[in-house]
C-alpha cells in the first residue's frame, strides 16, 4: 500500500495518467486506485462516482487555461483591442495544443461536453466573463462602442466558436486556420471600434 497521504490532487494526477493510457471509455476507478497503490474505496472517499472523478479532472484541466487567460484580461497597460486579440489567439492555441499533445484528456473533455458537464458550463461562463471585462475596459477607455456588454461578449464568444469548441478540433490542423482566426478577429474588432 502507498505510504504517501492520499489527496484529491494525487488522485487527479493519477487519473490523468490512467485516462491517457486507457482513454475515457475504458479507464476505471480500479485502474486509478491500482496506479496509486490504494483500494478503489479510498478513491471513492474523495470522489463519490467515476463521473465526479472525470469531471474533476476536466475542471482541473480547464482551470489551467482559464488562469492563463486571466493574465491577459488583467494586462491593463495593454489596449482592450490588443487584449481581445491576444485572449482569443491564446484560447485557440491552448485548445489546439491540448487536442494535439494530450488527445486522451481532450477526448475526456469531449465526452463531458456531450454529457452537458457542469465543469464545461462553468468554463464557458468564465470565458464569457473574461470577454465581458475586456469589452467593458474598451468601452470605458473609449476604444469600443456598443449597447450591451454582456450580450456583445457572448456574441464575440459565439463568433469565434470554431476556434475553441472541441467539435471543430479536426479543423485546427489546417494550414490556413490561423489566418482565418485573424480574419474573424479583424472583422469583430472593426465592428467594436468607436467610429471617428
Amino acid at each position: 500500500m502507498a505510504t504517501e497521504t492520499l489527496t484529491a490532487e494525487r488522485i487527479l494526477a493519477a487519473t490523468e495518467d490512467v485516462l491517457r493510457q486507457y482513454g475515457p471509455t475504458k479507464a476505471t476507478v480500479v485502474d486509478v486506485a491500482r496506479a496509486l497503490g490504494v483500494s478503489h474505496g479510498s478513491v471513492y472517499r474523495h470522489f463519490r462516482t467515476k463521473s465526479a472523478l472525470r469531471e474533476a479532472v476536466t475542471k482541473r484541466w480547464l482551470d489551467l487555461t482559464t488562469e492563463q487567460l486571466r493574465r491577459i484580461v488583467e494586462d491593463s497597460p495593454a489596449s482592450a483591442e490588443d487584449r481581445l486579440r491576444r485572449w482569443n489567439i491564446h484560447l485557440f492555441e491552448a485548445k489546439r495544443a491540448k487536442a494535439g499533445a494530450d488527445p486522451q484528456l481532450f477526448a475526456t473533455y469531449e465526452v463531458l461536453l456531450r454529457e452537458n458537464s457542469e465543469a464545461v458550463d462553468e468554463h464557458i461562463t468564465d470565458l464569457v466573463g473574461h470577454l465581458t471585462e475586456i469589452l467593458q475596459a474598451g468601452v470605458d477607455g473609449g476604444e469600443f462602442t456598443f449597447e450591451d456588454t454582456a450580450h456583445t461578449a457572448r456574441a464575440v464568444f459565439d463568433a469565434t466558436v470554431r476556434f475553441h469548441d472541441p467539435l471543430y478540433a479536426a479543423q485546427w490542423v489546417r494550414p490556413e486556420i490561423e489566418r482565418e482566426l485573424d480574419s474573424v478577429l479583424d472583422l469583430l474588432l472593426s465592428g467594436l471600434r468607436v467610429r471617428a
Side-chain angles (χ1 to χ4, degrees), residues 71-83 86 137 143:
R71 290 187 207 113
I72 295 170
V73 173
E74 294 173 351
D75 184 12
S76 57
S79 68
E81 182 172 325
D82 176 62
R83 283 185 279 166
R86 283 190 296 127
E143 294 177 65

Side-chain angles (χ1 to χ4, degrees), residues 4-153:
E4 193 177 341
T5 303
L6 186 64
T7 63
E9 188 59 31
R10 276 191 63 220
I11 293 170
L12 292 175
T15 302
E16 284 184 5
D17 292 339
V18 168
L19 286 166
R20 284 184 190 100
Q21 185 175 359
Y22 298 111
T25 55
K26 294 183 180 176
T28 67
V29 174
V30 171
D31 295 325
V32 174
R34 188 177 304 119
L36 290 164
V38 300
S39 71
H40 65 279
S42 297
V43 174
Y44 280 126
R45 279 194 275 284
H46 289 270
F47 299 96
R48 298 186 71 197
T49 64
K50 177 182 176 180
S51 177
L53 180 56
R54 282 194 327 188
E55 183 146 342
V57 166
T58 301
K59 181 173 177 3
R60 179 179 186 229
W61 179 51
L62 295 173
D63 286 350
L64 178 60
T65 301
T66 304
E67 289 167 18
Q68 294 166 346
L69 291 168
R70 166 60 47 201
R71 290 187 207 113
I72 295 170
V73 173
E74 294 173 351
D75 184 12
S76 57
S79 68
E81 182 172 325
D82 176 62
R83 283 185 279 166
L84 186 64
R85 183 177 293 279
R86 283 190 296 127
W87 186 93
N88 276 282
I89 291 169
H90 185 84
L91 176 61
F92 167 65
E93 290 172 348
K95 296 287 177 114
R96 180 171 63 175
K98 276 295 184 192
D102 217 341
Q104 295 296 358
L105 280 184
F106 199 77
T108 301
Y109 174 65
E110 289 180 296
V111 168
L112 289 175
L113 181 63
R114 286 193 299 274
E115 293 172 358
N116 219 2
S117 161
E118 284 182 33
V120 174
D121 292 343
E122 182 181 311
H123 180 62
I124 291 170
T125 298
D126 289 344
L127 296 180
V128 173
H130 286 180
L131 290 171
T132 301
E133 289 181 53
I134 293 171
L135 291 173
Q136 189 60 54
V139 169
D140 294 346
E143 294 177 65
F144 298 151
T145 183
F146 42 80
E147 294 294 316
D148 185 323
T149 306
H151 282 98
T152 303

